[in-house]
Amino acid sequence: MTESVLVVPGDGIGREVVPAAVEVLEAVVDLEFHEADAGDRVKRETGEALPAETYRRASEADATLFGAAGETAADVVLPLREAVGSFANVRPARAYPGVDALRPETDLVFVRENTEGVYAGIESEVADGVTTLTRVVTDEASRRIAEFGFDYAADNGYDDVTVAHKANVMRTTDGRFLDGVAAVAEERGADYEPALMDSLATDLVMRPGEHGVVICPNLAGDVLSDLAAGLVGGLGLLPSANVGAEGGLFEPVHGSAPDIAGEGVANPAATVLSAAMLLEHLGEASAAARVRTAVEGVLADGPRTPDLGGDASTAAVTEAILARL
Ligand code: NAI
Ligand code: MG
């Protein structure tokens, strides 16, 4: 049976890079595409950033390809990640040959806990001028992300597993997170390095080659993966997969980039590489590899979009990727 992919371009450059990625998918496999709305634009029109219909269709699709939302991002992305039942956000940050990267030796994969931490959405104004946030950390989610992270490292040939935390300060919550990771590591005889997330930030910049898979609580994974984007040539290169259960949500790490939206110069690589992760999720490993090889070829030989120092358009880069397929 042909698998169904829900396509949600969203706002800004999402509307430019998602169609590019769909063209690439259409060139390599037979999938059934359906499109749905989300983001700032649909909120202005209907009052709702994530229509119930989009949520329902994402929860039923075999996979969802999402672009980006603008100011409504949190109202769209967090529920969409929940709709597909994901608990792990996988964010590879690799330096590609030919791209002018700050740290060409970088080959990191952030495995970010995707359901709790400070993104659990429990915030309140407790008195005039005083606000609080509740950080949720459970045994179940900590063990689950550790299991996923160790499996990912083993399946993908990464020897180094680093676990980001701040248990010296957040003793109860990150203490529990670390206990969960330690229990899973012991059960499997897996090795890992716990690292305080602030000094880890320095280490990732100075010695990225000493790290491989980085298992992170939610916020740390968000911040450290954007930091890693800076090591490899920018946000235009970072794909991501929200996985865990059967469905999956695949999206570039970047946002709607209002500063370049509408100019036709957004780098489609992050979204096309997210589409490759989608193919892998659907069991299309060889198609995924073909897409990645085509993207790597274009990154090496050009044409390149302005974020990578070139002057090519999104359309020209997409054409070049398609030509290599
Ligand atoms: P951003 O990722 O949209 O842009 C940051 C910088 O990177 C900008 O200079 C932009 O031009 C550049 N950039 C990003 N993607 C690029 C690409 N594919 N090609 C070339 N250059 C690229 O982050 P920013 O500026 O912090 O946020 C803009 C809007 O996006 C905000 O409204 C924010 O809420 C939203 N956002 C949405 C996300 C989502 O939907 N998942 C994630 C992050 C931000
Ligand atoms: Mg982010």
Side-chain angles (χ1 to χ4, degrees), residues 167-183:
N168 57 336
V169 177
M170 298 186 282
R171 292 181 184 135
T172 307
T173 50
D174 264 359
R176 178 158 302 270
F177 176 68
L178 273 188
D179 287 348
V181 173

Side-chain angles (χ1 to χ4, degrees), residues 81 89 91 112 119 219 221-223 225-226 235 252-255:
R81 288 175 185 160
N89 185 341
R91 297 180 158 194
R112 165 188 175 193
Y119 287 3
L219 172 64
D222 196 4
V223 176
S225 55
D226 271 35
L235 279 167
V253 168
H254 64 71

Side-chain angles (χ1 to χ4, degrees), residues 238-256:
L238 256 66
S240 82
N242 300 277
V243 288
E246 268 169 37
L249 175 71
F250 302 83
E251 48 166 340
V253 168
H254 64 71
S256 61

